[in-house]
């Protein structure tokens, strides 16, 4: 993995880079920059898997980069002294929030989540970042009906019928989405808030009817967990 550290304080940046290298071993390579301009340049010229981001960068707001991160294919961990912004960060889909001053152990926990994004969800995301021609936009997760795998990307279907393309894979998105989003098929996540009924047909066929009348096929491997999530177990 390749991970970018964005931290304006030189001593903290050096400590982060040293501890991360020690904790990760050969699993990751770490680069470090001090401001948003340098971070944007690195992210444009290189492919990164993760981002360790401070929210106060010499007077610049790290949320400008965070909005890009949640729309990108890399996962983001915030490392910040501004604990009052933790909820806002989680609502925008960060994987973890490490408050300063941080310990080696706490930083290690955040890195493990980056290395294994199929682990425990943050579960507090309310928005999803979307790339558009005019820049990055956010959509309310409550408006998302389902999300489908689309190669290395994900197709996001909105309640109004629009489809958006997200840079993260379905597995990467599943690690930050709230518990309302569950697998109904190996290539689909469905928002339970928009499920109207679960139907069973002949030959062990199952499908979901959604609030707009559309249907989603349910994979056999997911039927038991889906029934439990819907309270039908």
């Amino acid at each position: 993995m390749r991970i970018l550290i964005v931290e304006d304080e030189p001593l903290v940046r050096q400590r982060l880079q040293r501890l991360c290298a020690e904790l990760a071993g050969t699993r990751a390579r770490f680069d470090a920059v001090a401001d948003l301009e340098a971070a944007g340049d690195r992210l444009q010229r290189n492919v990164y898997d993760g981002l360790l981001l401070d929210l106060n960068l010499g007077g610049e707001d790290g949320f400008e980069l965070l909005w890009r991160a949640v729309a990108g294919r890399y996962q983001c961990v915030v490392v910040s002294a501004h604990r009052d912004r933790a909820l806002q960060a989680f609502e925008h889909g960060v994987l973890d929030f490490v408050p300063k001053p941080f310990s080696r152990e706490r930083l290690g926990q955040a890195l493990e989540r980056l290395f294994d994004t199929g682990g425990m969800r943050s579960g507090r995301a309310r928005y999803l970042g979307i790339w558009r021609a005019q820049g990055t936009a956010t959509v309310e997760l409550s408006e998302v009906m389902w999300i489908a795998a689309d190669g290395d990307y994900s197709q996001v279907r909105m309640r109004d019928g629009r489809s958006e393309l997200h840079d993260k894979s379905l597995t990467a998105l599943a690690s930050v989405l709230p518990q309302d989003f569950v697998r109904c098929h190996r290539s689909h996540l469905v928002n339970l808030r928009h499920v109207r009924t679960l139907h069973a047909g002949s030959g062990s066929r199952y499908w979901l009817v959604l609030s707009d009348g559309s249907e989603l096929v349910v994979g056999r491997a997911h039927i038991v967990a889906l029934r439990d999530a819907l309270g039908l177990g």
Side-chain angles (χ1 to χ4, degrees):
M1 293 184 69
R2 191 171 183 185
I3 298 172
L4 181 65
I5 298 169
V6 187
E7 169 59 61
D8 65 319
E9 296 182 38
L11 292 179
V12 178
R13 186 168 64 251
Q14 292 168 17
R15 181 169 181 252
L16 271 173
Q17 200 163 13
R18 175 177 56 82
L19 286 178
C20 284
E22 292 174 1
L23 290 162
T26 60
R27 291 181 292 175
R29 168 186 168 185
F30 295 87
D31 299 325
V33 295
D35 55 52
L36 290 180
E37 183 177 357
D41 182 62
R42 287 291 187 100
L43 291 170
Q44 187 173 22
R45 291 188 293 108
N46 303 279
V47 176
Y48 285 94
D49 304 291
L51 185 69
L52 297 181
L53 174 66
D54 187 13
L55 292 179
N56 186 7
L57 299 163
E60 295 181 306
D61 190 351
F63 261 87
E64 290 184 30
L65 191 59
L66 177 59
W67 291 325
R68 290 181 55 187
V70 297
R73 66 180 57 204
Y74 43 89
Q75 298 282 17
C76 182
V77 169
V78 169
V79 183
S80 173
H82 294 271
R83 300 178 185 226
D84 57 317
R85 305 192 77 181
L87 179 59
Q88 186 183 6
F90 277 119
E91 287 180 341
H92 282 81
V94 300
L95 197 62
D96 203 350
F97 187 104
V98 179
K100 294 179 180 177
F102 55 86
S103 66
R104 177 190 178 96
E105 180 183 12
R106 182 64 184 88
L107 181 62
Q109 292 172 355
L111 286 178
E112 289 303 322
R113 295 195 67 185
L114 272 177
F115 297 146
D116 181 17
T117 55
M120 183 177 62
R121 300 182 183 189
S122 65
R124 283 172 276 183
R126 286 182 54 204
Y127 307 97
L128 196 60
I130 297 293
W131 287 113
R132 289 180 179 160
Q134 64 271 33
T136 306
T138 56
V139 298
E140 288 265 3
L141 279 171
S142 61
E143 296 295 306
V144 175
M145 302 280 289
W146 48 260
I147 304 174
D150 191 350
D152 293 331
Y153 303 91
S154 296
Q155 180 191 161
V156 180
R157 177 56 62 91
M158 308 298 296
R159 188 168 63 172
D160 62 7
R162 287 182 296 122
S163 287
E164 305 277 5
L165 196 63
H166 198 284
D167 232 11
K168 283 188 175 70
S169 68
L170 201 65
T171 299
L173 279 177
S175 65
V176 296
L177 291 172
Q179 301 297 326
D180 291 330
F181 287 82
V182 300
R183 289 263 186 182
C184 64
H185 190 275
R186 61 183 174 83
S187 62
H188 280 81
L189 290 166
V190 65
N191 187 347
L192 295 180
R193 295 187 180 189
H194 295 296
V195 173
R196 184 183 296 166
T197 55
L198 171 66
H199 285 281
S202 60
S204 299
R205 290 180 57 252
Y206 294 89
W207 66 95
L208 293 169
V209 177
L210 305 184
S211 55
D212 64 351
S214 62
E215 298 178 355
L216 279 181
V217 173
V218 177
R220 295 181 185 180
H222 302 280
I223 186 61
V224 174
L226 184 59
R227 286 179 63 89
D228 287 343
L230 290 169
L232 303 173

